[in-house]
C-alpha cells in the first residue's frame, strides 16, 4: 500500500510491497482534496509532494513521524524523508 488516507490525515508508504524497493508515483488522491506524490529508495521515502485543493491543516504520517501542515488552496509543499520542508 502506497497511501492510506483518512479525514485530515495522510499516511505515506504504510505497507510498501517488497517487490517495490524503489520508485516514484504522482497523482495519488487523498481525502480532504490533497494530491500526493512520493519517491522512495531502498524502501525509504526520500521525497513527498503535496498539493491541496482547500485551505486547512493536513496531518502527514510516515512511520512514527507525524507533521501537521497548514495548506492553502492550490499550494504545493515538498518534504524530505523526515517530513522536513524542502526548499
Amino acid at each position: 500500500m502506497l497511501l492510506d488516507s483518512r479525514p485530515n490525515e495522510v499516511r505515506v508508504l504504510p505497507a510498501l510491497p517488497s517487490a517495490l524497493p524503489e520508485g516514484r508515483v504522482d497523482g495519488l488522491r487523498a481525502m480532504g482534496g490533497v494530491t500526493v506524490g512520493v519517491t522512495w529508495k531502498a524502501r525509504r521515502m526520500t521525497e513527498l509532494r503535496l498539493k491541496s485543493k482547500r485551505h486547512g491543516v493536513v496531518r502527514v504520517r510516515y512511520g512514527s513521524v507525524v507533521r501537521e501542515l497548514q495548506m492553502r488552496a492550490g499550494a504545493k509543499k515538498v518534504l524530505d524523508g523526515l517530513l522536513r520542508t524542502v526548499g
Side-chain angles (χ1 to χ4, degrees):
M1 180 184 318
L2 302 177
L3 186 74
D4 181 31
S5 172
R6 299 164 193 253
N8 298 323
E9 183 171 289
V10 176
R11 291 183 357 168
V12 182
L13 303 180
L16 185 63
S18 59
L20 298 173
E22 58 184 60
R24 176 184 171 119
V25 65
D26 285 298
L28 299 175
R29 302 299 291 252
M31 293 175 95
V34 179
T35 302
V36 178
V38 62
T39 303
W40 65 96
K41 192 171 197 173
R43 302 186 52 79
R44 299 272 184 206
M45 181 177 71
T46 57
E47 184 178 80
L48 177 64
R49 298 168 298 282
L50 303 169
K51 183 176 180 182
S52 180
K53 285 187 170 185
R54 304 179 185 147
H55 294 299
V57 174
V58 176
R59 174 184 271 212
V60 179
R61 180 181 302 272
Y62 174 61
S64 62
V65 181
V66 179
R67 176 141 184 233
E68 290 191 352
L69 303 168
Q70 183 66 43
M71 301 288 290
R72 293 180 181 248
K76 296 179 184 179
K77 294 209 184 230
V78 178
L79 308 174
D80 67 11
L82 297 173
L83 300 183
R84 298 177 298 202
T85 303
V86 175

